[in-house]
Amino acid sequence: MAGYSICIIGVSGNQGTLLAKKLGVQGKNQLLLIDEQTDKTAGLIKEILCMNPEAMVEQLSCMKDASWEADIIALDIPEEQLHVLAEKIREVVNNKTIIRLARLSIGDTEKGEQAFNDHETENNWKIFFPHAKIVKVFIGSLATYLESSNKDALKTVTELLTEAGLNPYPELKTAETINDINFYSKQLN
Amino acid sequence: MFEKLSQNIQEKIKLTDEEWQLCKTFFTPKKLRKKQFLLHEGDPCKYTAFIEKGAMRSYSIDDKGSEHILQFALEGWWITDLYSFYTGEPASYSIDALEDCEVLLITSPDYENMMQQIPAMERYYRLLLQNRLIAMQRRLSGNLSYTAEQKYQWLTQSFPDIFQRVPQHMVASYLGITKETLSRIRTRMLHKKN
């Protein structure tokens, strides 16, 4: 089966960078990378191409065009920028899978799992992207954690992350998961 | 983004504003670059595509590596592997973009949902399938009984700007003739005109 076209917006964030590297090295999918820090993005592309010269990766500047072209859109952006981004891309992400990369900031360090399970934020995403299939993803130190109310999208992203060697782990409520998320968020501090 | 689809639907049926807004939610907008595949032969065909901008083709490749083009589709046309789309079986055709394209995709479950929620769309699809059946019947009978020259004339009437948008070898493949034969026919027709 042919690969996906995946747009990652916010590749200067640690989760976005990690996802881009893993998918780039795996090389099956076309990657469209976007970030305000264009030099950093260009550097990341060089790094990916060093690891896999066959990687299909490029830097784009228009979020709408990149999201329009993509089958899957991964977003590593601060929550406060969400409404601005949503205005730009909402109409082109209808029925597409959006990977919401969970951002754990320094303020979340004591309770990483609470940040991950923030339902208020989750509702905002549903309001901003009413016809998209949202999958929340957190790439931890032991595994990658996923959550979604859409089973098909969850399956698609699980397969994608498995192929990229990210060890997806869709069970969120276990002690290991919570410990890992907390461990990771403490490292951020 | 939905201009051609809206126009195409309105030519056949009437939808209320509410129905049209609902209708749009079933489609996935997608940009394809020239030569990019929408479907690879052997994969299940997940989508039917409506072309808002650009040109596409569906084709198969035989054991000798020759391409056989089944369909060209331009703005306002639909393209899919019907059998694979409805059955989930592997596709017999590949579909790719001949130009940079903007398409609207719909899956089989969404298609069924749309019919249930907007009954007027049943009529639209019935008319669409009816037209498609007629076109296929004409193409089949043309292939069986037309001379190469008649096939060429039929094509230029159906797609007046086809030679501006599609390479000559693809047109020849669509007509089931060699590109040398096509070139001879074109020269002959040009002389007749003059």
Side-chain angles (χ1 to χ4, degrees), chain A residues 78-102:
Chain A
E79 293 296 330
E80 58 271 21
Q81 288 177 17
L82 183 62
H83 71 284
V84 179
L85 174 81
E87 284 305 315
K88 288 180 183 166
I89 69 168
R90 185 184 296 123
E91 67 173 351
V92 296
V93 300
N94 243 16
N95 297 310
K96 293 185 183 177
T97 297
I98 293 183
I99 296 177
R100 174 194 159 195
L101 290 161

Side-chain angles (χ1 to χ4, degrees), chain B residues 4-168:
Chain B
K4 295 270 184 219
L5 180 64
S6 164
Q7 194 184 323
N8 195 277
I9 291 174
Q10 279 172 22
E11 280 167 9
K12 295 177 176 67
I13 58 163
K14 279 198 173 139
L15 290 182
T16 63
D17 277 352
E18 201 182 327
E19 284 173 326
W20 171 237
Q21 292 310 320
L22 178 61
C23 177
K24 288 197 287 184
T25 65
F26 292 102
F27 289 90
T28 307
K30 168 95 177 145
K31 271 191 178 198
L32 291 165
R33 298 180 191 189
K34 186 177 175 176
K35 294 186 180 177
Q36 195 175 346
F37 282 84
L38 178 67
L39 173 68
H40 285 275
E41 186 178 339
D43 286 347
C45 178
K46 289 195 280 189
Y47 303 105
T48 286
F50 179 84
I51 303 176
E52 277 285 330
K53 188 180 160 197
M56 302 185 81
R57 62 168 178 163
S58 63
Y59 66 100
S60 60
I61 298 177
D62 67 20
D63 296 342
K64 291 175 188 164
S66 304
E67 285 178 3
H68 301 280
I69 296 176
L70 179 78
Q71 187 194 351
F72 291 120
L74 309 175
E75 291 87 1
W77 291 56
W78 291 86
I79 191 164
T80 191
D81 180 323
L82 268 181
Y83 175 74
S84 176
F85 181 72
Y86 286 117
T87 62
E89 294 289 315
S92 310
Y93 304 101
S94 293
I95 299 176
D96 67 4
L98 298 171
E99 302 169 352
D100 287 346
C101 286
E102 291 171 14
V103 295
L104 297 168
L105 307 175
I106 187 163
T107 63
S108 184
D110 280 340
Y111 172 88
E112 291 302 327
N113 280 340
M114 184 170 68
M115 299 296 173
Q116 277 182 358
Q117 293 184 45
I118 315 169
M121 286 301 282
E122 287 268 16
R123 178 172 156 76
Y124 171 73
Y125 274 101
R126 184 176 61 75
L127 293 171
L128 209 65
L129 285 173
Q130 192 175 299
N131 290 344
R132 191 178 174 116
L133 197 63
I134 292 167
M136 284 177 78
Q137 209 172 34
R138 280 190 181 157
R139 179 151 155 71
L140 182 65
S141 95
N143 269 348
L144 293 171
S145 59
Y146 283 7
T147 63
E149 203 162 298
Q150 284 172 321
K151 283 184 196 172
Y152 171 83
Q153 279 175 328
W154 171 82
L155 181 71
T156 48
Q157 277 161 15
S158 311
F159 299 91
D161 60 347
I162 195 82
F163 287 98
Q164 277 77 59
R165 299 183 68 175
V166 176
Q168 206 156 314

Side-chain angles (χ1 to χ4, degrees), chain A residues 14-29:
Chain A
N14 52 32
Q15 294 277 296
T17 304
L18 201 52
L19 182 67
K21 279 185 189 171
K22 286 284 188 181
L23 290 171
V25 169
Q26 187 243 351
K28 188 180 165 187
N29 305 289

Side-chain angles (χ1 to χ4, degrees), chain A residues 46-59:
Chain A
K46 269 188 190 167
E47 208 180 320
I48 291 170
L49 289 171
C50 269
M51 293 185 280
N52 176 10
E54 304 291 311
M56 296 174 286
V57 56
E58 64 185 288
Q59 183 170 5

